[in-house]
Amino acid sequence: MLSRTEDLKCTLMKVGEMYGLPLELMKQVYRIKIESEEEDRGRERIFQKNVILMTIFGRPGDGWVENLGRIWLNRYKRLTKEFNFEVDDIYKDRMNDIPEWSFWINGSPQVAQREYGPEMGNRGQLMKCIKILGEEEYLWEAVHDVQHKPYIPGEPFIVNTRYIPCSLKKKIKYLNTSSWVEVGMDYDDFRTDAYNRGLLVDNWGDSYYLN
């Protein structure tokens, strides 16, 4: 089964062959397509970052829980008159002024800050998700390199497998498709067990312990 990028390459090559277009032109079309998609992902990332930090740095007063939706909506409307949420890194200066920005998440008055156990609130889960996304050498993905040689019937292909850090897209898929109880317990085990090498994440977001 081909990956999405491999399928795109094959499609463009077939189109080029069909209409007699030079290979270099199709390569340029492919690069433009990939760059355009990366720009879209970049705008989505900065938008999500601004929204998350807006809820962290903004601290409504008493009674704000009942009016949370209206408060965030009004704040969003006010900020978007001055900033572009998909382009501007609105909280960059404030982030640079603090040594450990998880302090601001811990100080949020939304819920009691519990990062462990079944009673962990939404804000506690958000804290742990952010830590998992930024954790190095925890989530991995496999890359299979097939040795290219003339095929001999009856002989298997030689496949070399290596592991690389998970892409952000695959990390997010893992968090969105896995049981939260398992996600939290696996990460806690990784942080406390010096021999835990982390998890291998497949294309469907399922995870397995690395040997």
Side-chain angles (χ1 to χ4, degrees), residues 58-77:
R59 297 191 174 193
D62 294 337
W64 69 281
V65 174
E66 293 78 8
N67 303 311
L68 178 61
R70 178 172 56 82
I71 290 174
W72 288 148
L73 180 60
N74 290 339
R75 178 165 294 145
Y76 174 77
K77 289 180 178 179

Side-chain angles (χ1 to χ4, degrees), residues 9-21 26:
K9 290 178 182 178
C10 292
T11 301
L12 291 175
M13 290 181 67
K14 290 179 181 179
V15 171
E17 291 177 359
M18 182 183 301
Y19 293 98
L21 301 175
M26 304 317 297

Side-chain angles (χ1 to χ4, degrees), residues 193-207:
D193 186 352
Y195 296 98
N196 191 324
R197 297 176 55 202
L199 301 176
L200 173 66
V201 180
D202 63 20
N203 291 332
W204 292 270
D206 294 329
S207 62

Side-chain angles (χ1 to χ4, degrees), residues 87-105:
V87 176
D88 302 323
D89 194 350
I90 301 174
Y91 296 94
K92 180 178 180 180
D93 292 338
R94 296 185 68 175
M95 293 289 291
N96 291 335
D97 290 339
I98 54 178
E100 177 55 55
W101 66 283
S102 62
F103 165 79
W104 293 95
I105 305 176

